[in-house]
Amino acid sequence: MVTGAAAVASASASATALVADEQGALPLPWLAAPLAEALASQRGHALLVHGSPGVGALPYALTLAQAWLCEDQDAARPAAGPCGRCASCRMVRTHLHPDLLVLMPETLRRAFEWPLADDKPDSDDAKRKPSKQIRITEVRGLIDWSTKTSARGRGKVAVVHPADALNVQSANALLKTLEEPPVGTRLLLTTADPAQLLPTVRSRCQLQVLDAPQAPVATAWLASQGLAEAEVLLAACSGRPLDALVLAQAGVEARIWAALPRAVANGQAAAMAGWPVPRVLDTLHKLCHDAMALAAGGAGRYFPAGTVPRAGRLPALAAWSRELDRVARHDDHPWNEGLLLEALVQQGAAALLAGPGAVTTRAPAAATRLDTLKP
Ligand SMILES: [Zn+2]
């Protein structure tokens, strides 16, 4: 399993537009078909969008909300998107629409500059770590907001992104509103993994799947954003264009990505120096996956053909994979990042180059070393 991608992607995804612009152009071209489908067929009051942040789950949810609230909808084309020009569309774009409430964890609210009305100024809580959860007080605020009359008379929309950031208490607090919201209020939830949600939340929503775009559409869009060799980073990110863009914006160009397997096999931790731990783990998981695929006679998925060493053996790679899983479960732990990176890369080098005589089914020495890195 590849972990940490969402955490990496959320860090700086705010560069991409979130809603339709003043010409009505969608923030991402591949949202047009699912948007038309939802506008033509969605009649329920609660919709769960199953899509990755790297495919644009948030821009999709916000653009659908913008369309529902748009005051210049073309009656002859009911499935058309938001006009982009009307007062409502403009207010959504400036994050000031009174009938749109967006619940996100504080970390994302800051990244996307979409604060709640009662957010404290930074100076008041600068010392507190921003929450990665949607808290019960925020859900209570949503319930309270939903009982008020629509300010502009076109109903109200609450977006919860991602719904798996609701903790058990806040999810339970939302259930009644999710089942039977006040007339005219719609709820729009997103998740990259519906299995992470309470069954009682899932069962109260209609489901819409937001698929990754076809590769030619995605690479053309990435090229329009200035990415060279976009197909390399697109493969690196499982076909999710926004994740590929974030990777490029972090300085990981296609040639750097393609050189990583060899650098890890050579024990060169410097190749990932300064990377956040979730990105390091995500990258090593992908490298381990490709090496295992090659060892099993298959083809890699994340790195270009010919870049991953073929000397690895399945037992050693499987042990490395388990160790990466173990560290990933604690990826927000306050590691000594330099030492952790060094240890992970040394493990990777051993696993990638383990010949038939070097097979091991466990990685005791490395595991011990990693344990000692915990403060
Ligand atoms: Zn409009």
Side-chain angles (χ1 to χ4, degrees), residues 107-128:
T107 46
L108 291 182
R109 292 209 303 273
R110 289 185 182 190
F112 291 109
E113 297 174 359
W114 205 306
L116 284 173
D118 58 355
D119 269 355
K120 305 260 190 317
D122 273 358
S123 55
D124 282 15
D125 57 358
K127 287 181 187 157
R128 187 172 56 79

Side-chain angles (χ1 to χ4, degrees), residues 9-321:
S10 68
S12 60
S14 54
T16 310
L18 292 174
V19 293
D21 69 11
E22 51 281 2
Q23 275 78 46
L26 300 179
L28 300 164
W30 56 87
L31 301 185
L35 192 66
E37 181 196 317
L39 289 171
S41 65
Q42 220 282 320
R43 295 286 173 265
H45 53 253
L47 179 66
L48 175 63
V49 175
H50 174 197
S52 161
V55 173
L58 179 62
Y60 178 67
L62 292 173
T63 306
L64 181 54
Q66 190 185 25
W68 278 336
L69 294 169
C70 176
E71 293 166 1
D72 191 19
Q73 287 246 304
D74 187 343
R77 294 187 304 129
C83 77
R85 295 175 306 275
C86 73
S88 172
C89 282
R90 286 202 307 273
M91 281 193 282
V92 170
R93 200 158 49 241
T94 51
H95 309 185
L96 292 171
H97 201 299
D99 295 328
L100 173 63
L101 183 71
V102 181
L103 283 200
M104 290 191 268
E106 195 177 355
T107 46
L108 291 182
R109 292 209 303 273
R110 289 185 182 190
F112 291 109
E113 297 174 359
W114 205 306
L116 284 173
D118 58 355
D119 269 355
K120 305 260 190 317
D122 273 358
S123 55
D124 282 15
D125 57 358
K127 287 181 187 157
R128 187 172 56 79
K129 222 176 159 185
S131 175
K132 292 180 181 174
Q133 295 186 345
I134 297 173
R135 292 174 297 194
I136 191 164
T137 51
E138 292 156 355
V139 171
R140 287 186 183 132
L142 182 156
I143 295 167
D144 188 41
W145 169 88
S146 73
T147 60
K148 292 176 183 153
T149 312
S150 163
R152 297 188 64 86
R154 288 198 64 92
K156 303 162 69 155
V157 186
V159 171
V160 180
H161 170 81
D164 27 307
L166 294 162
N167 57 38
V168 175
Q169 290 80 11
S170 50
N172 278 317
L174 186 63
L175 286 180
K176 188 166 179 305
T177 306
L178 203 52
E179 185 162 60
E180 203 174 346
V183 174
T185 298
R186 301 197 209 222
L187 286 102
L188 191 39
L189 283 61
T190 77
T191 182
D193 181 7
Q196 297 296 319
L197 302 181
L198 291 180
T200 43
V201 169
R202 280 202 310 271
S203 66
R204 283 164 168 78
C205 301
Q206 287 190 13
L207 182 71
Q208 185 182 24
V209 178
L210 183 66
D211 288 320
Q214 298 288 316
V217 175
T219 46
W221 179 78
L222 286 168
S224 77
Q225 304 294 309
L227 251 70
E229 298 178 77
E231 64 283 356
V232 172
L233 293 187
L234 194 64
C237 297
S238 308
R240 297 174 187 142
L242 298 188
D243 289 350
L245 186 62
V246 167
L247 204 55
Q249 286 168 342
V252 185
E253 298 163 18
R255 63 178 176 79
I256 291 175
W257 182 261
L260 275 173
R262 181 49 59 190
V264 173
N266 289 338
Q268 294 162 347
M272 290 184 282
W275 288 23
V277 170
R279 178 176 296 138
V280 169
L281 289 169
D282 182 50
T283 301
L284 293 178
H285 262 297
K286 287 169 174 170
L287 177 52
C288 186
H289 168 279
D290 277 12
M292 288 176 86
L294 291 178
R301 174 177 168 192
Y302 300 108
F303 289 89
T307 61
V308 177
R310 288 181 162 272
R313 293 292 177 269
L314 277 175
L317 292 166
W320 183 34
S321 176

